[in-house]
Amino acid sequence: MKKNPKYFFFLTAGLVAATLTLITGCASTDSYSPWADYSSPWNNEATGEVAAVPAANAGAKGLGYYAPSNEGAIIPSDEPLSNDTLSVPAQSAAGQVFDPSLRPLTPGLTQPVSRNVATLVPPADMWDRIRRGFKMPDLDNDLVHQREQWFESHPDYLQRIADRSNRYIFYIVEELERRNMPTELALLPFVESAFNPQAVSSARAAGMWQFIPSTGRAYNLKQNIFRDDRRDVIASTNAALDYLQRLYDMFDDWQLALAAYNYGEAGVSRAIARNQSAGLPAAYSDLSLPTETQMYVPKLQALKNIVADQARFGVELPLTPNHPYFDTVTIKHDMDVSLVAQLAGVGLEDFRALNPAARKPVLLAADNPQILLPWDNAAVFQRNLQEADAQGSPSASWTARVLPRTMTVAEAARSMDMSEAELRAVNQIPPRMKIRAGSTLIIRRSLAARGDVSAAVAGGATLSLQPEMAARHMALRARRNESVAHIARRYRLKADQVAQWNRVGVNHVFRRGAVIDLYPPKRIDYADAERGERAGRSPVRTRGAVRQASANELASAGRSRRSLRHTRRARQSTANEYAYVESSRPSHAGRISGARPLR
């Protein structure tokens, strides 16, 4: 390749000129050298002064000098320096020029000049980190003050919930910061579930973020016999933040978004429309909302105020380190829950606290291969798992099987080579119930069947039951303060049966209007229902009972057949007032839903 001699000439000339400029600039005090003037004052402990820019360079900008302002803050200046500001040059013994009006930057003189400047000091703990991310407008009313007083008078409650949140709050705050969402939302599980992932409400909302089944399915939270992702720490948190962001995009107000999370977006939209049509303000505090929703945002605001200033309320929250509590580990084969806890060196209670979605004693790799373990125990688990795999030890003692036909529990237990009590216990089958065809059962793994459960079985696992004896499925709506015991006494049933049919506790009190399922062994007599109605209790009538009663009344009055048909049509509305389902199986999917907000 031919080389151009002009290229070498200009390169050599440039290097010579740069060298001469550097040498003459360092040796002369009359010509300006920013490096000499900038570096010398910091090493001059005697004067502590900053060299000023000579008059020859008075028009320069952005030289990096800082002058003390009237307020004492150090403000950078990009304006051209005039000859008037470069007065009284002072020389040191080395011949350097200083301006006594300029001082070096010192920690005592520097102050933040903008709220947008990020601090370099890391948060002391998670509460400090949460405080730094507060973005929601404050709410100040009597309801907030009432909740503040309640929390202030119950410090032990706050301590328990804060200790429980220690496992989950780092991940929640990380997600909020990644999405640029207010960190006040990290306190929302305090209000929803007291940071209990196993919490279940009367409306069957479950998990830390309290998703009802339908909303959980809308946000891709799996719900089968093996797992309930409404309780999963990571899945439910991501779904809740997605839902909250969607509500904020809908209302453009975080307080209204929170109200919609509790009451439902349709209910909040109706309340806003009512106020707007009446010419009234439509802010959160101006809306007519249910009592629970009116208290919802004030509870969160009270918690925010306590976290922001613990000393003011005399509360000291436990120290929560600003680092991850758990790590994610992937399993490649089905594993018993007890074996995972043993290999990780954690207790079963601690393991279930981090993996509350697991509902059975076995974890299926095809269903969800990710598990959560304490940060330090994750490495221990992986090391011990490698050693166990090298020895060929079995990892699971349970498997799943789909029932080919409807069976009693005793028949299914004999076919699975298990005891009836064990099959009932591990699959949570109530007494006097049959297992319908297509149901998936957890059974002991035999030596012949050592393979993992397939993804098709794990993903679509359901358990459908029906009464062993012919029974009528009846549904009724609960009155105020009706409990399981009240319903059982009224219809001559056992309290544990009523509780099992409705998946609640024996001491549960139903919400007014909630649907109660009953499977009595015989049809309830219409006269009993009439007596219950006269006594002020909620009646249950089957369609046949209502028709028979109408026919008896009309026959006794001696009315004609034509009048009977006319009156039957008129009395059809009476039958529609009562909930009835003439089905021989306890189908929970077809229940009449109560007036519960979609959450």
Side-chain angles (χ1 to χ4, degrees), residues 487-508:
I487 300 298
R489 282 196 302 267
R490 185 193 311 168
Y491 298 106
R492 297 188 295 275
L493 300 170
K494 293 183 179 180
D496 59 346
Q497 286 181 325
V498 177
Q500 289 170 353
W501 291 334
N502 294 275
R503 298 183 181 179
V504 296
V506 178
N507 299 321
H508 180 74

Side-chain angles (χ1 to χ4, degrees), residues 168-218:
Y168 319 111
I169 200 164
F170 179 89
Y171 177 80
I172 297 174
V173 173
E174 283 273 303
E175 279 297 305
L176 289 171
E177 291 177 346
R178 187 180 67 83
R179 298 166 181 247
N180 196 27
M181 298 174 70
T183 53
E184 289 97 329
L185 297 177
L187 306 175
L188 195 58
F190 271 94
V191 180
E192 283 288 342
S193 63
F195 269 102
N196 181 9
Q198 298 290 357
V200 180
S201 72
S202 59
R204 295 175 185 152
M208 278 195 306
W209 300 94
Q210 290 289 283
F211 278 96
I212 61 173
S214 57
T215 309
R217 287 188 290 269

Side-chain angles (χ1 to χ4, degrees), residues 435-474:
I435 310 170
R436 294 176 60 87
S439 297
T440 304
L441 294 178
I442 301 295
I443 63 172
R444 288 284 182 183
R445 175 178 287 190
S446 63
L447 296 177
R450 300 295 296 273
D452 293 337
V453 177
S454 65
V457 174
T462 59
L463 179 62
S464 180
L465 305 175
Q466 71 180 41
E468 288 184 354
M469 59 188 305
R472 186 176 297 274
H473 176 201
M474 291 183 294

Side-chain angles (χ1 to χ4, degrees), residues 257-289:
L258 288 169
Y261 188 84
N262 176 255
Y263 183 44
E265 55 263 41
V268 173
S269 298
R270 288 193 298 268
I272 293 174
R274 284 195 301 267
N275 278 33
Q276 290 176 343
S277 62
L280 300 174
Y284 166 77
S285 56
D286 301 316
L287 300 180
S288 177
L289 298 169

Side-chain angles (χ1 to χ4, degrees), residues 11 37 65 110 154 201 206 216 233 261 272 326 348 420 464 503 536:
L11 177 62
D37 293 340
Y65 287 96
T110 57
H154 295 79
S201 72
V233 176
Y261 188 84
I272 293 174
F326 59 78
L348 278 175
E420 181 179 349
S464 180
R503 298 183 181 179

Side-chain angles (χ1 to χ4, degrees), residues 265-325:
E265 55 263 41
V268 173
S269 298
R270 288 193 298 268
I272 293 174
R274 284 195 301 267
N275 278 33
Q276 290 176 343
S277 62
L280 300 174
Y284 166 77
S285 56
D286 301 316
L287 300 180
S288 177
L289 298 169
T291 304
E292 179 184 348
T293 309
Q294 290 178 358
M295 295 295 298
Y296 192 72
V297 178
K299 286 181 183 178
L300 184 65
Q301 181 67 50
L303 288 167
K304 173 184 176 180
N305 295 342
I306 291 173
V307 172
D309 191 355
Q310 300 178 37
R312 171 189 166 194
F313 298 95
V315 175
E316 184 177 357
L317 297 174
L319 179 65
T320 303
N322 183 26
H323 62 71
Y325 183 89

Side-chain angles (χ1 to χ4, degrees), residues 503-526:
R503 298 183 181 179
V504 296
V506 178
N507 299 321
H508 180 74
V509 177
F510 293 101
R511 179 173 49 86
R512 182 177 182 180
V515 177
I516 305 173
D517 294 314
L518 299 178
Y519 297 90
K522 62 179 180 179
R523 180 178 299 182
I524 294 179
D525 184 65
Y526 174 74

